[in-house]
């Protein structure tokens, strides 16, 4: 029996076809209509319905490129189930190159939304009713904010075994067992018992080849794990790609000044080790910023001008730090050839490419 069509925003996508659906979301004050583009690939055979979305924060653009490249993968010709790709959720923020909506609301704090609420609430309601409530699994793609670079990592609440399976399959070097934030897409999906993982990597308004490559591979691995696309014909012996952090801790500047970083992204640090030096502009005083714990650096602030209390490093802590180092080594080696061939901008991430 033929598989039933998949419907979104009044448009039906027949089994064995793909279609771009422009979901009307709102109008600018000039009456110019805005739409959220959604690409639906509806396989001939039954299977999971996976939503892959990005740019819920409009300036987090690495995910947009990840979704674009996943949609070019030839394996989708053999898709089992349905892939719902939403490359730009926050179309307002994307156009304006900002994290937020025009009213300065964070769309990722507006779920489950309301049909008659704020702009953020209305967009969240639209996404929820038109897409989220029709899917079985979700991958939400993010980056660090402006001037902060995130190591590729998965954040998820690991109480759901299916979520754990997705997180392990993705293959980011670090998995953080992260609590749910009220109003977030992840929290609402969890309330519906939809397994959801969040991929974090890179910095807002910047493309990074390693982050994008890691994200593409991760989405494809999850789809293989869910048996949505065929497995590789000759799989290699499985390796431990990821290590789960027990928790994480932000390190903040003790004083205002100019920061000179010492520790690099992905580096192992010990408790009491110097991470950076912060000095006043006249060179009269200089303060060392030390790590409060042992772990792996998973985020760095790339802006050297810091205020007292500003977050400058994020450290993930592990029960077995040596195992986390192995996961990092495996991640480095898996991208070594690609990075050698690619032209990549110079920033602290280069430490991982040696």
């Amino acid at each position: 029996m033929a598989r039933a069509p998949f419907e979104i925003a009044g448009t039906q996508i027949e089994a064995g076809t793909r279609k771009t659906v422009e979901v009307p979301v709102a109008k600018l004050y000039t009456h110019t209509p805005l739409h959220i583009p959604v690409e639906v690939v509806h396989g001939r055979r039954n299977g999971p319905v996976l939503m892959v979305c990005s740019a819920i924060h409009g300036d987090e653009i690495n995910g947009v490129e990840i979704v674009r490249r996943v949609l070019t993968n030839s394996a989708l010709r053999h898709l089992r189930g349905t892939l719902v790709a939403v490359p730009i959720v926050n179309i307002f923020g994307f156009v304006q190159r900002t994290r937020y909506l025009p009213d300065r609301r964070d769309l990722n704090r507006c779920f489950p939304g309301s049909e008659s609420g704020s702009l953020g609430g209305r967009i969240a309601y639209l996404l929820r009713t038109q897409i989220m409530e029709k899917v079985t699994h979700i991958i939400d793609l993010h980056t660090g904010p402006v001037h902060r670079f995130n190591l590729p990592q998965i954040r998820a609440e690991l109480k759901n075994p299916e979520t754990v399976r997705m997180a392990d399959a993705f293959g980011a070097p670090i998995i953080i067992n992260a609590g749910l934030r009220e109003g977030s897409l992840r929290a609402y999906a969890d309330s519906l018992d939809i397994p959801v993982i969040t991929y974090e990597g890179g910095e807002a308004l910047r493309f990074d080849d390693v982050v994008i490559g890691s994200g593409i591979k991760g989405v494809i691995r999850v789809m293989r794990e869910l048996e949505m696309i065929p497995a590789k014909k000759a799989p290699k012996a499985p390796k431990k790609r990821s290590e789960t952090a027990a928790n994480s801790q932000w390190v903040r500047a003790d004083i205002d000044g100019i920061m000179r970083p010492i520790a690099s992204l992905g580096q192992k640090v010990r408790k009491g080790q110097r991470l950076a030096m912060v000095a006043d502009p006249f060179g009269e005083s200089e303060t060392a910023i030390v790590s409060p714990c042992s772990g792996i650096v998973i985020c760095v602030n790339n802006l050297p001008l810091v205020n007292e209390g500003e977050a400058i490093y994020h450290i993930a802590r592990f029960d077995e730090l040596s195992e986390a180092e192995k996961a990092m080594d495996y991640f480095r080696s898996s991208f070594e050839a690609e990075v050698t061939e690619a032209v990549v901008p110079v920033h602290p991430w280069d430490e991982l490419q040696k």
Side-chain angles (χ1 to χ4, degrees):
M1 187 173 70
R3 191 180 181 206
F6 186 86
E7 184 173 333
I8 177 173
T11 300
Q12 290 194 338
I13 298 90
E14 299 294 331
T17 67
R18 63 189 290 171
K19 183 178 290 186
T20 301
V21 181
E22 299 286 344
V23 180
V25 60
K27 291 182 179 180
L28 298 176
Y29 41 72
T30 60
H31 280 225
T32 303
L34 287 181
H35 300 80
I36 297 177
V38 180
E39 182 83 2
V40 179
V41 187
H42 193 42
R44 294 185 183 277
R45 295 178 294 164
N46 289 327
V49 181
L50 172 67
M51 180 175 87
V52 182
C53 62
S54 67
I56 196 168
H57 294 135
D59 59 357
E60 299 183 2
I61 63 175
N62 274 315
V64 179
E65 182 65 4
I66 291 169
V67 173
R68 186 188 72 81
R69 294 198 205 174
V70 166
L71 287 170
T72 66
N73 195 293
S74 60
L76 296 184
R77 290 178 298 185
H78 310 288
L79 181 69
R80 173 179 168 269
T82 304
L83 173 64
V84 181
V86 191
I88 308 167
V89 176
N90 181 359
I91 192 71
F92 286 93
F94 184 79
V95 169
Q96 296 296 323
R97 305 176 189 176
T98 179
R99 176 184 180 90
Y100 301 108
L101 292 164
D103 60 1
R104 299 298 296 167
R105 288 180 184 267
D106 184 337
L107 180 54
N108 206 29
R109 298 294 180 269
C110 293
F111 288 88
S114 168
E115 189 174 12
S116 58
S118 67
L119 176 60
R122 293 176 189 225
I123 296 174
Y125 174 83
L126 180 71
L127 190 70
R128 166 170 70 89
T129 56
Q130 294 297 323
I131 303 175
M132 288 180 65
E133 293 176 354
K134 300 178 182 181
V135 307
T136 60
H137 301 74
I138 297 175
I139 301 175
D140 187 20
L141 306 172
H142 286 255
T143 77
V146 174
H147 304 311
R148 290 185 193 160
F149 198 102
N150 275 341
L151 180 82
Q153 59 194 261
I154 288 294
R155 296 181 186 178
E157 181 147 282
L158 302 178
K159 63 183 181 182
N160 185 332
E162 188 73 353
T163 301
V164 174
R165 185 162 76 109
M166 291 173 65
D168 285 339
F170 195 97
I174 304 297
I175 299 172
I176 299 178
N177 189 4
L180 301 171
R181 292 191 175 183
E182 184 178 356
S184 68
L185 179 151
R186 192 160 62 91
Y188 182 70
D190 183 79
S191 73
L192 298 178
D193 291 325
I194 299 174
V196 54
I197 59 174
T198 295
Y199 173 66
E200 288 272 1
E203 178 184 354
L205 296 175
R206 298 286 185 272
F207 272 178
D208 184 274
D209 288 348
V210 174
V211 169
I212 292 169
S214 174
I216 296 165
K217 288 183 176 182
V219 172
I220 296 300
R221 286 188 191 117
V222 171
M223 294 182 72
R224 287 199 178 108
E225 177 66 23
L226 298 177
E227 299 181 350
M228 296 181 69
I229 57 177
K232 289 184 177 181
K233 293 182 179 179
K236 296 179 181 179
K239 293 184 179 181
K240 181 74 170 175
R241 288 192 292 256
S242 306
E243 189 65 25
T244 301
N247 50 51
S248 63
Q249 185 170 349
W250 281 100
V251 183
R252 300 182 182 275
D254 295 327
I255 63 170
D256 308 302
I258 299 172
M259 180 184 69
R260 177 170 57 85
I262 298 173
S264 302
L265 194 69
Q267 181 179 330
K268 179 188 75 172
V269 295
R270 295 291 183 185
K271 183 177 181 179
Q273 181 176 331
R274 286 187 179 185
L275 302 176
M277 302 296 295
V278 179
D280 71 88
F282 307 103
E284 295 179 357
S285 64
E286 189 173 38
T287 300
I289 305 299
V290 301
S291 179
C293 60
S294 297
I296 300 289
V297 176
I298 60 171
C299 180
V300 296
N301 186 343
N302 288 331
L303 186 66
L305 310 177
V306 299
N307 293 306
E308 183 178 355
E310 188 171 346
I312 54 177
Y313 280 91
H314 196 187
I315 311 295
R317 297 195 282 192
F318 300 86
D319 294 330
E320 293 292 339
L321 188 54
S322 60
E323 294 301 312
E325 284 189 274
K326 291 178 183 177
M328 286 302 308
D329 288 342
Y330 177 72
F331 181 76
R332 292 186 187 100
S333 63
S334 67
F335 279 94
E336 187 174 6
E338 297 172 42
V339 171
T340 301
E341 296 171 1
V343 178
V344 182
V346 177
H347 48 47
W349 180 243
D350 291 341
E351 187 69 25
L352 288 185
Q353 300 171 22
K354 293 179 180 178

